[in-house]
Amino acid sequence: MPEIRVTPLGAGQDVGRSCILVSIAGKNVMLDCGMHMGFNDDRRFPDFSYITQNGRLTDFLDCVIISHFHLDHCGALPYFSEMVGYDGPIYMTHPTQAICPILLEDYRKIAVDKKGEANFFTSQMIKDCMKKVVAVHLHQTVQVDDELEIKAYYAGHVLGAAMFQIKVGSESVVYTGDYNMTPDRHLGAAWIDKCRPNLLITESTYATTIRDSKRCRERDFLKKVHETVERGGKVLIPVFALGRAQELCILLETFWERMNLKVPIYFSTGLTEKANHYYKLFIPWTNQKIRKTFVQRNMFEFKHIKAFDRAFADNPGPMVVFATPGMLHAGQSLQIFRKWAGNEKNMVIMPGYCVQGTVGHKILSGQRKLEMEGRQVLEVKMQVEYMSFSAHADAKGIMQLVGQAEPESVLLVHGEAKKMEFLKQKIEQELRVSCYMPANGETVTLPTSLSIPVGISLGLLKQEMAQGLLPEAKKPRLLHGTLIMKDSNFRLVSSEQALKELGLAEHQLRFTCRVHLHDTRKEQETALRVYSHLKSILKDHCVQHLPDGSVTVESILIQAAAPSEDPGTKVLLVSWTYQDEELGSFLTSLLKKGLPQALS
Amino acid sequence: MCKTELIDLSTVDVILISNYHCMMALPYITEHTGFTGTVYATEPTVQIGRLLMEELVNFIERVPKAQSASLWKNKDIQRLLPSPLKDAVEVSTWRRCYTMQEVNSALSKIQLVGYSQKIELFGAVQVTPLSSGYALGSSNWIIQSHYEKVSYVSGSSLLTTHPQPMDQASLKNSDVLVLTGLTQIPTANPDGMVGEFCSNLALTVRNGGNVLVPCYPSGVIYDLLECLYQYIDSAGLSSVPLYFISPVANSSLEFSQIFAEWLCHNKQSKVYLPEPPFPHAELIQTNKLKHYPSIHGDFSNDFRQPCVVFTGHPSLRFGDVVHFMELWGKSSLNTVIFTEPDFSYLEALAPYQPLAMKCIYCPIDTRLNFIQVSKLLKEVQPLHVVCPEQYTQPPPAQSHRMDLMIDCQPPAMSYRRAEVLALPFKRRYEKIEIMPELADSLVPMEIKPGISLATVSAVLHTKDNKHLLQPPPRPAQPTSGKKRKRVSDDVPDCKVLKPLLSGSIPVEQFVQTLEKHGFSDIKVEDTAKGHIVLLQEAETLIQIEEDSTHIICDNDEMLRVRLRDLVLKFLQKF
């Protein structure tokens, strides 16, 4: 029995270091290669030794697919390809290919230069790793080899995020990566066609949440920012350089313009400025409104938002600062947070999900005394707000996507076990689709049933289809043919054609049965009586009385003869071929019962 | 314009667009003909196609006509008119230019597709656009079923300009390759023409003259601007302003920068930096290139001479180019340089004669020439080539140039305008899927070494042109005998087909078998074609010939079935 096997190496009942191994029809594909932001030890990368104990990864894996540029989906890639060793193809979309190395370099700098980690991947390794990348277009069918093909679908979430269909023959798996089912201020909504995969592997970050309308959240956000700056406070918004940052900038920019506000908005420098450039050049990946109006006004050219300088953090008076990274686990956002945390006038707004172990996660779960490096304790007096701006599908969106793709089964990753449990039940009950949620290292095996594709001769098919159009087509009818198997070439042809192709002659088997009847009339009259009798019974069949006196029912021939010795008996000769056996044998037994006495 | 009498456009299911130049008549089809099908095109094709149409509509609407003459279209009058009017075909089908509303409506019917995307049409065929290397988003198309493949190659280029290179590998194994959209100027080398363009431009400007380049608002202009970007500094022309005047100039320049995924590798990697892929961004930033929607407004304030003006329409019949022809035509200092290959420059200039300005003809047509075609055909090896008639003979003006025609084996099949051509292949097979349960039940037998057969009796399910064979239903259980049965209920369904038989029956062995099964008193008679086996006791006669067996017996079903089974032992079923 063919089967599909799925093993999460990361993101199994967890958020972080997404990495899922899929085996389908003898092909092995690794989906994403992420890092975990909650750990600084070995656990931050997936355990690649699981894949093969003592073989090369390149020999085992047919390809690697990266869904989008977030580090929890691509952060381990240089480690995997350059340090563990993988030389096969790595597929990702163009924007991901453009942005991914920049985020990796940024991550490397924080790890090595700031935290002083040794044995980390180098800049050169990032470059070498990116050389193995093959960029894909949306909806392009990429032939990895003769059998394995992959296809990317738009996923929203961040610039260039994609869902991937992995297909071998008639078996397929769809991996969603992270996705968003509602368009936001800069990206469109995820979309997939009814591709009916055997398995849909979906993220489930917001498995239990059904979020209110985006407008309310936006209004809420603007109100909080506005109130804080009105009373002279400073607002810190920790973001990742690409994604939410652009959405919130567009939001604040339009608000500032409308309200004619003068309070400065800053963007932590470097990455983010560059990031806006990417958005400008990859306009076709943004939402419809931006695409339509970009010639008149490029939404990613901000008037009110200025580059941030470290010294500005100590400036008096209100300001709004977007700073990276988004989970307050390192870098500039953490520095600014430490400076401003002590003042209750200030506010930090966390616009996205925070992984366990990060400062962001701690303050969101209510912790107000944080132990920092060097046993310092930081007291958090500033207001802490959480706003779910992360562009993940909520429970409703996940259900919607499952409905769109119509998979045979669903497998949940990238979420917390408890929440997954709830969604799993919901999917099984409401959509009647089996659902799995393996932990890391746990393998799910799905048997698949494989249809066998063969070529059918057009003549045979057309003949069958033509009959299918007849009114009596309601009855199940049998198609009869011969399957010729030569090497791996399978063809279904009519039996006549099979005989002809193989140079064989048909052998005709014919039966003729004598049926004795008591009838004193002449042969012709007997034949006529037989005709009327059969005609009245066999309504669905073609019964004919031929000029030579014989009667036919379909291709069965009935002739009446008079044996010379007995004028009171007539012999009916019923003759048919093996192919008409049922009807022929039925007719003889019918005629044996005799003809009705009176002519009707 | 498309000739539409030949086909009823409401019966057309799908239109495949190759490049933005090939869609200028789309509104005429999608609006008002009853067409309800789908149009497929890539995103750059649609966006730039929209710009070309917008420019055309804008140019035409600037000069509204209160009334339009139509009496001349009468055949008797038309033939008295001077050429080219005299020779114009199908004048009765000529239409007014469409409106922007019709353009928008037409474009809204287009489905966007990407290169190498497999698009299922009604489950019957699959179409796939491939990069053709000619323009942003330009495509060749593959139309294939499981067993047949037709490639449509139109407007392709093997040169390295700004678009993604042509995908040749995917064209391999075609049964038929339809080849069209070759270069209009097979004798001109585009690279040489670009060089000539630059040197003539420099010469004119140095002498204090102006240069006019009649052009479309997208396409070759990007390459020309790129050449000038590299050239003007070295030629000491950096102070000469470049003006690009078109209602869609700004859009065209902006759009060109956002289609990174559709560009050649070099330009793509610039986007990764991130930098704009085309250097005209820098020309604009440094004020060397300025663009205007028309000659009115800002342009008249900024206008400085000598200068270089890019503007349309390349036919010189409408658009801002007309104004510059009038303005500069009288001075021999000025030059007009023709780069677009679609129009004869002599015809274009005719109404402006006599002209003092210099005219340079540098047609830049990057589409395939005949040498490239034969290289391509060698590479992709189609079984048959189909092309327009004019490609199968040398151009009329150069009838001795046997190299200016398609040369392939077997010879290309040609078609003419409004002619129906049957493609030279017969469809024989279609894909069908056999359900695993049915496949398990098949019993293959080896007939010849390497060839096995299995008879299949199955139920055919066809949905959306996808065929599936399912196992035959189990025979229905006889219903309980409470109901009175009618005779006709028992009539067997004659559509349950029995297999064909093959083989022959060796008489001696057959007789032995009969004896083994308890028949006695068997007599065998030889006949001309075979034998007759008589079972005298049972009053039964079996005629055996090479390809047939005939059992003649009394109406004794038991006996008949026994004999049948004995005969079948010697035969193979199909």
Side-chain angles (χ1 to χ4, degrees), chain B residues 46-72:
Chain B
V46 175
Q47 298 297 2
I48 296 173
R50 179 195 300 275
L51 297 182
L52 293 188
M53 291 178 177
E54 196 178 322
E55 187 190 67
L56 186 70
V57 171
N58 190 299
F59 282 164
I60 301 283
E61 285 177 354
R62 277 186 206 171
V63 277
K65 286 197 175 118
Q67 57 201 115
S68 63
S70 63
L71 286 176
W72 67 274

Side-chain angles (χ1 to χ4, degrees), chain A residues 223-235 318 345-347 383:
Chain A
K223 200 174 137 207
K224 278 177 182 150
V225 172
H226 192 197
E227 281 170 5
T228 308
V229 294
E230 283 284 274
R231 62 168 184 259
K234 296 178 167 65
V235 181
K345 269 206 288 187
N346 298 340
M347 178 182 280
Q383 295 176 54

